[in-house]
Amino acid sequence: MNESLLRELVPAVIGVLVRRGADFAAAEDAVQEALVEAVRGWPDNAPRDPKGWLVTVAWRKFLDAVRADTSRRRREERVDAEPAPDPGRAVDDTLQLYFLCAHPSLTPASAVALTLRAVGGLTTRQIAQAYLVPEATMAQRISRAKRTVSGVRFDQPGDVATVLRVLYLVFNEGYSGDVDLSAEAIRLTRQLAVRSHHEEVAGLLALMLLHHARRPARTGPDGRLVPLAEQDRGLWDTRLITEGIEVLQAALARDRLGEFQAQAAVAALHADARTAEETDWVQIVEWYDELVRLTDNPVARLNRAVAVGEADGPRAGLAALEDLDPSLPRHAAVTAYLHERDGDAATAARLYAQAARSAPNLPERDHLTRQAARLNARLRG
């Protein structure tokens, strides 16, 4: 198979899909999936018309994604029209699909990736960003998962932990990404809480409710991102905060701490502070210590560095960053913030600009660009 030919054909195939009505990002994602199939099938059965084959397969992938997105949006519209959740309501087929995609024949990572793509409606690029891996790597992982379950009967549901991981990532994409999936993730997690008394299900539900409560204050009237410390806390949904804290307290009372409970505890401490200055950063650091102990997750370590910087000063926060990979998403933004607090405006401005170039979405990129411009204007003045 001629890999250089494949690379040469990609721009042209994307152009065809765009002319047919696909937006550029969706076209890129569809072509990426078509390339995965080409790499797998062409060595044994190369098409006579490589470009035509890629256009056909990529267009089919694009239409499949559009149909999945349309179905998801219809579910969300039905959710918006529903009355308040009733704990006694039956679990619908969507949650069952999550369990079936978390098939025992798959590794947890592959099950999560497949479910996010097939049921959650996320693109390969969005899933790759959530996992901190290249898009091509994630495309291969999803493709392998599809091959593994092809011909397998989906009559063996997966475990709760895998489904929780999927719901967590779906909510995160809905909360901070381009596609609004938060309401659907909360709805399904509520249903899961009805059928399972697992304390981590309660921990995840509490985490979602507490984060979702802050959503009205996360952007200004002009669409600009508003950092937590600057948010109008009067816009926070106190009903959701109260519910989230009650759910969390019931979970913590079982004395079987998990990562979602620890994250929810951090969110609860933020929600409990009437002003940013009243935030109990010492307790937040202690909860991040628990979270790092449970997961050793680099993102948790990054967030812990911010909390250390608030509790013990910016230099302590910078010291907490020393063992982390600088290529970690948002590492440059965190480092910039701590340098600014330490009085080093020049370094902070440079790092804010660097962070803006790799921001995962437009609102965050605009926010970081404005931060860099603000400090540069101060330095010139």
Side-chain angles (χ1 to χ4, degrees):
M1 180 182 62
N2 192 331
E3 293 187 7
S4 63
L5 172 63
L6 278 178
R7 288 194 294 270
E8 291 172 3
L9 288 173
V10 166
V13 176
I14 291 175
V16 171
L17 266 63
V18 170
R19 287 193 295 275
R20 289 185 179 183
D23 64 74
F24 187 82
E28 269 192 324
D29 196 62
V31 172
Q32 175 63 50
E33 292 200 34
L35 289 175
V36 170
E37 290 201 15
V39 170
R40 185 172 68 244
W42 284 15
D44 300 323
N45 187 23
R48 294 181 179 178
D49 180 7
K51 179 182 176 182
W53 187 95
L54 283 173
V55 168
T56 299
V57 174
W59 184 247
R60 188 178 71 241
K61 297 290 185 183
F62 168 72
L63 292 178
D64 287 345
V66 169
R67 282 192 289 267
D69 185 61
T70 300
S71 297
R72 175 189 56 74
R73 290 182 184 277
R74 286 174 180 168
R75 289 198 301 270
E76 288 180 355
E77 288 170 0
R78 289 197 299 270
V79 170
D80 291 339
E82 288 177 354
D86 177 0
R89 288 170 58 191
V91 177
D92 70 11
D93 292 341
T94 307
L95 185 58
Q96 186 64 18
L97 284 174
Y98 275 75
F99 272 95
L100 292 176
C101 283
H103 197 274
S105 63
L106 296 172
T107 64
S110 294
V112 170
L114 178 62
T115 313
L116 288 171
R117 188 72 183 91
V119 187
L122 272 65
T123 65
T124 304
R125 177 178 299 175
Q126 289 169 323
I127 302 168
Q129 289 174 344
Y131 268 90
L132 310 181
V133 299
E135 185 176 352
T137 300
M138 183 53 65
Q140 291 172 357
R141 184 180 300 177
I142 294 171
S143 180
R144 285 195 300 269
K146 289 178 180 178
R147 289 200 303 271
T148 299
V149 299
S150 62
V152 172
R153 290 185 63 189
F154 279 82
D155 55 2
Q156 302 178 61
D159 66 343
V160 171
T162 301
V163 174
L164 284 179
R165 178 62 50 190
V166 175
L167 290 169
Y168 173 68
L169 292 174
V170 169
F171 177 82
N172 277 352
E173 187 59 42
Y175 190 67
S176 61
D178 300 324
V179 182
D180 185 359
L181 298 166
S182 299
E184 176 74 348
I186 291 173
R187 183 180 74 89
L188 294 174
T189 306
R190 285 188 186 278
Q191 293 187 351
L192 185 55
V194 170
R195 62 185 277 185
S196 171
H197 295 292
H198 194 291
E199 44 282 330
E200 275 293 81
V201 176
L204 179 58
L205 178 58
L207 176 63
M208 289 179 174
L209 293 172
L210 289 165
H211 276 298
H212 206 59
R214 300 202 302 257
R215 190 166 190 174
R218 289 189 78 238
T219 54
D222 57 357
R224 291 187 177 187
L225 187 67
V226 180
L228 176 61
E230 300 172 19
Q231 288 177 14
D232 178 357
R233 299 185 178 216
L235 297 176
W236 290 1
D237 190 327
T238 55
R239 181 185 59 84
L240 288 181
I241 291 173
T242 300
E243 182 186 0
I245 290 175
E246 288 175 353
V247 171
L248 173 62
Q249 288 174 338
L252 292 175
R254 300 174 199 170
D255 200 24
R256 296 182 61 183
L257 184 65
E259 62 173 301
F260 294 127
Q261 295 171 72
Q263 289 189 59
V266 171
L269 286 167
H270 283 298
D272 194 48
R274 290 178 297 178
T275 64
E277 293 72 25
E278 294 179 58
T279 305
D280 191 340
W281 287 106
V282 173
Q283 272 203 71
I284 288 177
V285 171
E286 291 173 356
W287 278 112
Y288 273 124
D289 287 340
E290 291 287 350
L291 186 58
V292 168
R293 179 183 63 80
L294 289 165
T295 67
D296 197 29
N297 185 294
V299 176
R301 290 184 177 275
L302 185 69
N303 291 333
R304 178 186 178 276
V306 176
V308 168
E310 298 290 351
D312 301 325
R315 294 192 180 182
L318 289 168
L321 288 174
E322 289 178 356
D323 295 332
L324 290 175
D325 184 351
S327 66
L328 187 68
R330 298 187 173 91
H331 185 285
V334 168
T335 310
Y337 172 74
L338 291 171
H339 274 295
E340 180 181 359
R341 288 205 53 221
D342 195 40
D344 187 351
T347 300
R350 175 177 58 80
L351 288 170
Y352 276 132
Q354 176 186 326
R357 289 191 292 271
S358 59
N361 53 67
L362 185 58
E364 190 168 335
R365 185 188 313 160
D366 289 346
H367 170 71
L368 292 167
T369 300
R370 287 195 302 273
Q371 296 292 81
R374 173 178 56 81
L375 291 179
N376 283 325
R378 182 194 303 173
L379 290 168
R380 288 193 297 269

